[in-house]
């Protein structure tokens, strides 16, 4: 396996992508539908860039009409943002759903909690009122690409090694593409 290829692919994914993290803490005052079905509540987050969907994610499950998500695995959702994201044009819509394994999930409450997202992407805890009833406590944090964070901190980062690795990978890909086009000649005996 080509380790330079792994390095470049890993670098591009984790180091150059901006991310948005949403931490769910709790909801309260939701409609009580426990008489109908078990109250297993999950939050669904929809991230939009104007009207186009950027990402959809789902949290862990909380119990009852005042679920607590804080501290549970899956309470933090992560969205990989498109290149050069415009957080001033993005909005975040949250739906709290009662999970139902036999029928369609029941939407308990929903709301646009960040329009634009840039106004709430400060890492602070925010409370939002939802429709038709209930409230939600979350925090939203925007993270710049890790490479720019390293450079801003003055970390020792070997740019020449990265450049050599990228050039090596580019040359390897070009050679692979050429070998598909040019037939290989073999001597006849």
């Amino acid at each position: 396996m080509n380790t330079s290829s792994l390095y470049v692919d890993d670098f591009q994914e984790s180091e150059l992508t901006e991310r948005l993290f949403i931490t769910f803490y709790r909801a309260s005052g939701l409609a009580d539908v426990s008489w109908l079905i078990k109250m297993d509540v999950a939050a669904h987050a929809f991230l939009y860039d104007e009207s186009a969907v950027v990402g959809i994610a789902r949290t862990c499950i909380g119990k009852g009409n005042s679920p607590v998500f804080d501290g549970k695995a899956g309470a933090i959702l992560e969205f990989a943002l498109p290149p050069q994201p415009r957080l001033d044009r993005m909005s975040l819509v949250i739906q709290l759903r009662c999970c139902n394994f036999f029928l369609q999930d029941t939407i308990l409450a929903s709301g646009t909690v960040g329009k634009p997202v840039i106004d709430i992407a400060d890492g602070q805890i925010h409370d939002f009122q939802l429709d038709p009833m209930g409230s939600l406590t979350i925090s939203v944090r925007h993270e710049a690409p890790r490479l720019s964070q390293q450079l801003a901190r003055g970390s020792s980062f070997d740019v020449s090694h990265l450049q050599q690795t990228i050039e090596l990978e580019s040359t390897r890909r070009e050679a692979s593409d050429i070998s598909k086009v040019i037939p290989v000649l073999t001597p006849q005996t």
Side-chain angles (χ1 to χ4, degrees), residues 20-46:
L20 193 68
F21 295 91
I22 305 161
T23 303
F24 288 80
Y25 295 98
R26 65 190 154 277
S28 61
L30 302 175
D32 187 356
V33 295
S34 61
W35 58 272
L36 180 63
I37 53 177
K38 190 174 169 185
M39 287 284 293
D40 291 336
V41 180
H44 294 249
F46 303 84

Side-chain angles (χ1 to χ4, degrees), residues 5-158:
S5 175
L6 281 174
Y7 178 79
V8 171
D9 291 343
D10 290 345
F11 179 83
Q12 289 172 343
E13 269 307 304
S14 64
E15 304 298 320
L16 300 178
T17 305
E18 291 188 47
R19 301 195 180 280
L20 193 68
F21 295 91
I22 305 161
T23 303
F24 288 80
Y25 295 98
R26 65 190 154 277
S28 61
L30 302 175
D32 187 356
V33 295
S34 61
W35 58 272
L36 180 63
I37 53 177
K38 190 174 169 185
M39 287 284 293
D40 291 336
V41 180
H44 294 249
F46 303 84
L47 184 63
Y48 294 93
D49 184 350
E50 293 183 333
S51 61
V53 176
V54 174
I56 300 172
R58 179 182 166 208
T59 65
C60 58
I61 293 178
K63 302 285 185 189
N65 66 341
S66 293
V68 175
F69 302 101
D70 190 21
K72 294 182 180 179
I76 300 174
L77 299 182
E78 178 181 348
F79 288 100
L81 299 175
Q84 300 175 340
R86 297 278 315 268
L87 296 180
D88 59 327
R89 294 187 331 199
M90 291 184 173
S91 61
L92 180 63
V93 175
I94 304 294
Q95 289 182 347
L96 296 179
R97 298 181 184 181
C98 188
C99 303
N100 189 327
F101 296 105
F102 301 109
L103 303 171
Q104 187 173 6
D105 291 352
T106 304
I107 297 175
L108 300 172
S110 65
T112 300
V113 297
K115 188 174 183 172
V117 169
I118 197 166
D119 290 347
I120 62 167
D122 55 8
Q124 300 298 313
I125 295 176
H126 299 275
D127 291 311
F128 297 98
Q129 291 300 311
L130 301 174
D131 289 327
M133 61 189 301
S135 64
L136 177 66
T137 304
I138 63 171
S139 66
V140 179
R141 179 174 51 91
H142 173 245
E143 185 177 286
R146 292 185 186 114
L147 175 60
S148 48
Q149 290 175 357
Q150 289 174 345
L151 295 175
R153 286 193 305 263
S155 301
S156 58
F157 183 76
D158 186 1

